[in-house]
Amino acid sequence: MLQPELKTWLQCLDCERSYPIDEVVFSCQCGGLLDVRHDLSLIRQTPAAEWKEHFAGRMGDFSLKESSSGVWAFKEWVLPGLPPRSIVSLGEGRTPLLPVRGYNEQEGLELLIKQCGVSHSGSFKDLGMTVLVSHVHALRKAGKDIRMIACASTGDTSAALAVYAASAGIPSCVFLPAGKISPAQLVQPLAAGSLVLSLDTDFDGCMQIVQEITKDSGLYLANSMNPFRLEGQKTIAFEIALQLDWELPDWIIIPGGNLGNVSALGEGLLMLRAAGLVERLPRICVAQASAADPLYRSFQTGYAGFEPFPAKKTHASAIQIGNPVSYKRAIRALRALEGFVETVLEEELTHAASFFDQYGFFHDPHTGVALGAFLKLKASGKIVRGDRVVVISTAHGLKFSEFKTASVLGKIEGGLANLPVDLPADANAVRKVILERL
Ligand SMILES: *Cc1c(COP(=O)(O)O)cnc(C)c1O
Ligand SMILES: [Zn+2]
């Protein structure tokens, strides 16, 4: 039996003030970001081999138990104190880690795609949302006055919030920048019955307003400044470790916008090492679209400063963020993991997505940014033959069908055009076209 007494609490990144885990608080009194902290000395009391066996056993469980979710399989390292009956799961996590067959053999390296977008609402945001909504569910049962969950979003966060909140029977409200998200992303919260507010501003503007509104009690903030989301996203690191038999790769490349996901990935990796489940850590690379790359600019100065700026338009709309909430957390992770930051132009992200689609994928533009960074790291000799590289794919390509359509029709720079061939219903005409291709 693993220790039931594992402890968690909230702690400020800046002043280290701590708060009980069940206090409804989104940032510290000093204005700093909060982390969910775990007592690693208690976690270390269980031998690494026992943890490995325990987690692998859960991940091998295909029953309908909540703990067979890819997030809750790691419950002791996510939210040990949550009553199991409060878990709100939609089967998140347990996503494939796929080698790019053909390309890898040709290039003499091992590129693996972690398909986090193969998920209930079509993006990795499900991993964090199951934890946040489960936590709120438990708080409500314990009598806290929370009447609605709210978030600002570039599309995927709101889709995830809407479905998890609906599943829990909790009302939700999402703040979206008008005209800046894909139709699929707009339809998801509408279908789930969420109150959808389309604001005449950008993501950063929506973020400001939702923070203002959630100061009033009764509304709970679901953006990733809320650290409960990151606890779920941390399991990306745990799944990769398990899928690679506890041997982490040389590099992990991840697209970054608000920078919660890279922070979570970093925390997960450090936790694995602190508990002795892995020895060697990978280098991490955050990939940003050049239209919205404040972290890249800060990296260029050795993180001497951090200057937010209004993000310009990018195909990678979910990372069109000029003032990322979690930049301090991200820099902490990058410093701990020999981090690197790369910037990718629009035609580079489009090309990278199209190029790797030819190996049997269907990459969304954000994964295109990460793959573009991969190609740049390889061209500059940072990634070499023999390296094992994991690229985090953050969304399902089908959520970004306008981008994919424009790309195959050759309507955007960098796309590999492949047009449908219009023919009469005539076998000879069809045969002629096919023979030309063979
Ligand atoms: C949210 C999101 C990102 C960026 O994650 P951050 O935590 O904001 O850095 C990347 N890709 C997709 C598809 C997303 O929805
Ligand atoms: Zn503080």
Side-chain angles (χ1 to χ4, degrees):
M1 182 65 194
L2 296 152
Q3 316 114 305
E5 76 280 10
L6 291 171
K7 280 199 196 73
T8 45
W9 65 96
L10 297 167
Q11 191 166 331
C12 175
L13 234 79
D14 291 336
C15 76
E16 303 203 335
R17 189 190 168 95
S18 63
Y19 301 82
I21 197 80
D22 60 353
E23 187 161 334
V24 178
V25 53
F26 307 119
S27 55
C28 181
Q29 284 173 0
C30 80
L33 289 170
L34 298 174
D35 287 327
V36 173
R37 297 285 292 267
H38 295 257
D39 189 335
L40 292 173
S41 66
L42 286 176
I43 285 178
R44 273 196 291 261
Q45 283 175 16
T46 296
E50 230 173 276
W51 281 122
K52 288 183 184 177
E53 202 181 317
H54 177 62
F55 292 148
R58 286 247 191 85
M59 288 297 266
D61 181 354
F62 198 57
S63 72
L64 280 176
K65 286 201 287 281
E66 306 288 18
S67 62
S68 71
S69 133
V71 169
W72 298 106
F74 302 98
K75 181 172 184 293
E76 293 82 357
W77 288 24
V78 172
L79 267 193
L82 184 84
R85 64 181 185 287
S86 291
I87 291 177
V88 181
S89 170
L90 292 169
E92 55 288 325
R94 299 172 70 104
T95 53
L97 181 65
L98 302 178
V100 186
R101 288 170 55 115
Y103 179 81
N104 288 352
E105 290 70 22
Q106 192 184 312
E107 298 295 323
L109 48 71
E110 200 181 352
L111 174 61
L112 301 163
I113 312 293
K114 178 65 174 160
Q115 294 274 72
C116 297
V118 179
S119 188
H120 188 72
S121 78
S123 86
F124 78 86
K125 298 293 199 298
D126 291 349
L127 302 172
M129 211 50 86
T130 182
V131 176
L132 181 136
V133 172
S134 299
H135 179 63
V136 171
H137 198 38
L139 291 175
R140 278 162 58 101
K141 280 192 196 168
K144 300 263 182 195
D145 178 29
I146 297 172
R147 274 167 282 173
M148 194 179 242
I149 311 180
C151 74
S153 176
T154 51
D156 290 330
T157 299
S158 51
L161 170 60
V163 288
Y164 281 87
S167 174
I170 304 172
S172 67
C173 170
V174 305
F175 295 59
L176 302 174
K180 294 195 175 67
I181 65 167
S182 81
Q185 289 173 323
L186 176 63
V187 168
Q188 283 179 298
L190 288 171
S194 186
L195 172 60
V196 177
L197 307 175
S198 184
L199 303 190
D200 184 17
T201 176
D202 57 5
F203 170 79
D204 297 306
C206 290
M207 192 65 224
Q208 243 173 0
I209 293 182
V210 81
Q211 270 177 266
E212 182 64 37
I213 304 273
T214 48
K215 279 185 192 143
D216 306 345
S217 79
L219 230 65
Y220 189 89
L221 177 67
N223 279 100
S224 61
M225 70 179 290
N226 181 325
F228 288 95
R229 294 253 314 276
L230 305 190
E231 289 309 288
Q233 291 170 204
K234 209 170 67 176
T235 61
I236 293 177
F238 305 161
E239 285 199 3
I240 291 171
L242 228 159
Q243 285 168 311
L244 296 176
D245 208 13
W246 311 103
E247 290 277 344
L248 291 171
D250 299 291
W251 284 90
I252 298 181
I253 306 176
I254 183 167
N258 224 2
L259 304 176
N261 209 24
V262 60
S263 309
L265 174 70
E267 276 304 298
L269 293 169
L270 293 171
M271 211 167 162
L272 284 167
R273 191 178 60 180
L277 276 69
V278 302
E279 278 167 26
R280 207 174 57 99
L281 292 173
R283 292 192 67 181
I284 53 175
C285 172
V286 178
Q288 296 209 288
S290 301
D293 61 357
L295 183 66
Y296 173 74
R297 296 178 193 197
S298 171
F299 171 68
Q300 295 296 92
T301 68
Y303 311 117
F306 194 92
E307 296 293 329
F309 65 89
K312 292 195 283 297
K313 197 168 160 46
T314 165
H315 299 308
S317 52
I319 56 175
Q320 189 175 323
I321 296 175
N323 187 12
V325 165
S326 287
Y327 80 88
K328 280 190 187 167
R329 290 177 177 136
I331 291 173
R332 181 179 61 182
L334 287 163
R335 286 204 160 117
L337 290 151
E338 249 192 285
F340 198 82
V341 185
E342 194 52 273
T343 188
V344 176
L345 296 168
E346 293 301 291
E347 67 259 32
E348 289 172 332
L349 76 88
T350 306
H351 170 76
S354 311
F355 176 76
F356 286 105
D357 279 2
Q358 301 202 315
Y359 291 91
F361 290 84
F362 192 63
H363 289 303
D364 72 286
H366 314 84
T367 307
V369 172
L371 290 166
F374 164 78
L375 291 173
K376 286 181 122 175
L377 289 171
K378 186 162 161 284
S380 67
K382 292 204 174 52
I383 288 174
V384 295
R385 283 178 83 83
D387 275 353
R388 180 185 256 180
V389 181
V390 171
V391 162
I392 309 291
S393 171
T394 47
H396 201 296
L398 288 173
K399 277 190 109 165
F400 297 88
S401 54
E402 299 73 23
F403 167 77
K404 299 307 288 177
T405 305
S407 176
V408 294
L409 294 181
K411 289 190 174 156
I412 48 178
E413 213 184 326
L416 297 174
N418 185 20
L419 301 172
V421 183
D422 290 324
L423 286 171
D426 172 62
N428 283 329
V430 170
R431 188 177 293 113
K432 183 163 171 290
V433 169
I434 291 175
L435 287 176
E436 278 168 16
R437 273 287 179 103
L438 293 180

